[in-house]
């Protein structure tokens, strides 16, 4: 699973498996016969045809937002090591998901605080830990208070000045309509 710190679980990437007909397989169920629950999994290495599970013949980039990549890479199980079936090449789907995230970022509202890569901002915030944990906690608390105030004011102003256009807000935040609504409500109620 791949994710960005910027979009959280709204845009989690993974290699999406494809069956011979071009459809995505459903979960595999395991009956442990030890209770009323049945375990299920969608781990990609399970779809190798053993134990009656369908055989995945290709992979493509998939995102939790529902987007599926069009480039499809063949999946040759004969090249996969039997003792480590989870180690097959996922480079194609990963590059496709990276391109999707770049597209999402290009369509979002510009933000000075996110103009640097996430890892660079994270390193800057955790830099005080060299001086001890208390300066890092103080920096995080200050940042939380500042962002809470700024977000509450922005959500209030958006609702009173222009009225929230759900599709526009969703695109600006890089998520879906439900996430945009939830985000605006969350911040507006903190005012």
């Amino acid at each position: 699973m791949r994710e960005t710190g910027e979009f959280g679980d709204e845009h989690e990437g993974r290699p999406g498996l494809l069956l011979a007909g071009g459809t995505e397989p459903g979960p595999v169920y395991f009956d442990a016969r030890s209770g009323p629950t049945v375990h299920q999994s969608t781990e990609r290495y399970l779809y190798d045809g053993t134990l009656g599970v369908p055989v995945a013949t290709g992979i493509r980039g998939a995102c939790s937002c529902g987007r599926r990549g069009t480039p499809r890479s063949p999946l040759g199980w004969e090249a996969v090591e039997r003792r480590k079936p989870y180690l097959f090449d996922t480079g194609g789907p990963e590059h496709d998901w990276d391109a999707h995230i770049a597209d999402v970022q290009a369509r979002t509202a510009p933000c000075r605080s996110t103009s640097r890569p996430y890892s660079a901002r994270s390193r800057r915030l955790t830099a005080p830990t060299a001086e001890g944990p208390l300066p890092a906690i103080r920096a995080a608390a200050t940042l939380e208070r500042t962002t809470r105030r700024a977000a509450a004011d922005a959500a209030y102003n958006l609702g009173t000045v222009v009225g929230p256009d759900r599709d526009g807000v969703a695109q600006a935040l890089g998520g879906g309509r439900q996430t945009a609504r939830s985000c605006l409500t969350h911040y507006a109620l903190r005012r």
Side-chain angles (χ1 to χ4, degrees):
M1 187 73 64
R2 297 187 62 171
E3 61 183 42
T4 66
E6 186 175 354
F7 300 117
D9 62 358
E10 187 74 23
H11 288 285
E12 289 181 337
R14 63 178 170 76
L17 297 177
L18 295 168
L19 300 176
T23 60
E24 291 185 16
V28 175
Y29 297 97
F30 300 97
D31 186 3
R33 299 185 191 270
S34 62
T37 59
V38 177
H39 177 70
Q40 68 178 11
S41 179
T42 55
E43 292 292 331
R44 60 183 183 262
Y45 63 85
L46 295 172
Y47 296 90
D48 64 352
T50 58
L51 303 173
V53 176
V55 179
T57 59
I59 56 176
R60 66 179 171 189
C63 186
S64 60
C65 71
R67 185 224 181 239
R68 298 297 185 259
T70 52
R72 299 175 181 192
S73 305
L75 181 59
W77 287 103
E78 61 280 348
V80 176
E81 188 178 337
R82 292 299 287 167
R83 292 186 181 258
K84 298 178 183 175
Y86 46 85
L87 294 178
F88 58 81
D89 182 24
T90 58
E94 289 175 7
H95 291 304
D96 180 58
W97 183 77
D98 288 341
H100 166 59
I101 292 302
D103 182 51
V104 170
Q105 287 173 327
R107 290 183 285 128
T108 59
C111 179
R112 286 185 298 242
S113 66
T114 60
S115 61
R116 291 187 186 94
Y118 179 74
S119 58
R121 291 191 321 272
S122 174
R123 278 193 303 272
R124 223 176 61 226
L125 180 61
T126 58
T129 58
E131 301 165 9
L134 291 178
I137 292 171
R138 181 172 180 242
T142 301
L143 183 60
E144 285 176 359
R145 284 190 297 272
T146 303
T147 56
R148 190 173 31 243
R149 277 193 305 266
D153 289 347
Y156 176 78
N157 289 336
L158 179 67
T160 59
V161 175
V162 291
D165 165 26
R166 301 284 182 227
D167 290 328
V169 172
Q171 182 174 333
L173 296 178
R177 292 183 81 199
Q178 180 61 33
T179 300
R181 185 174 137 219
S182 174
C183 184
L184 288 179
T185 302
H186 170 77
Y187 288 126
L189 291 176
R190 292 181 147 212
R191 187 166 166 83

